[in-house]
Amino acid sequence: MTVPLWVAVSAQAQAPAQTKTAIAVLDFEPNNSSASDAAAVTEFLRSALIDLNVWTVVERKHMSRILAEQAMQQTGCTSQDCAVKLGRVLNVRKVIVGTFGVVERTRFITARLVDVETGANERSAKASGFHLREIDGVAERIARQ
């Protein structure tokens, strides 16, 4: 027995959409680098995560507004406890924290995915030895990790 096309299409339209997990990417902590470079690297990672289409990524402006309303700031938030606290305020399930730095003229990025409910580090990623003109590809590799 074949199902009419309109029945199959109607059933797909009524099926609940799979909800993506909400995630926030906190500004990376500069380590022997400028805060503006660290913020730019963070934006590249946010963009790469959006392009993956796996997460619902909270926009930086939205995060800043919510944190300002709560009299909180994300600057310097690299610990699990801080990530969990900000994640709860932002109403997300996961938070990415990390650093962007330079050691002996070698650039590096470290990033950790923190579960807001458990406080556990779920994953980590790192990259080093890249030129800033390569940051788009580096951010994409970190996002995939």
Side-chain angles (χ1 to χ4, degrees):
M1 177 177 152
T2 59
V3 177
L5 180 59
W6 67 269
V7 172
V9 171
S10 176
Q12 284 179 337
Q14 292 176 0
Q18 189 172 9
T19 306
K20 294 187 271 184
T21 301
I23 187 169
V25 183
L26 302 182
D27 284 344
F28 282 6
E29 181 73 17
N31 186 347
N32 200 28
S33 67
S34 73
S36 61
D37 282 351
V41 168
T42 305
E43 276 305 309
F44 274 95
L45 180 59
R46 256 189 215 104
S47 181
L49 288 164
I50 290 167
D51 288 347
L52 280 178
N53 201 27
V54 173
W55 314 94
T56 298
V57 181
V58 178
E59 286 293 328
R60 186 180 195 286
K61 288 181 184 179
H62 185 67
M63 286 177 21
S64 296
R65 183 179 51 79
I66 291 171
L67 294 176
E69 289 172 0
Q70 299 292 319
M72 299 177 78
Q73 60 180 358
Q74 63 173 320
T75 305
C77 183
T78 57
S79 72
Q80 287 169 283
D81 291 340
C82 181
V84 166
K85 184 177 179 179
L86 291 181
R88 288 183 179 144
V89 169
L90 295 168
N91 197 29
V92 296
R93 305 238 349 246
K94 312 282 183 192
V95 174
I96 293 180
V97 295
T99 59
F100 170 69
V102 180
V103 175
E104 294 183 6
R105 298 187 306 174
T106 299
R107 291 174 183 84
F108 67 90
I109 298 172
T110 61
R112 293 186 324 277
L113 178 67
V114 178
D115 183 282
V116 172
E117 186 176 322
T118 65
N121 283 318
E122 289 190 350
R123 292 189 155 186
S124 65
K126 60 186 174 185
S128 63
F130 55 88
H131 192 279
L132 283 179
R133 68 177 164 258
E134 302 168 308
I135 193 60
D136 200 22
V138 171
E140 186 178 317
R141 284 196 313 269
I142 288 175
R144 290 185 186 286
Q145 289 179 11

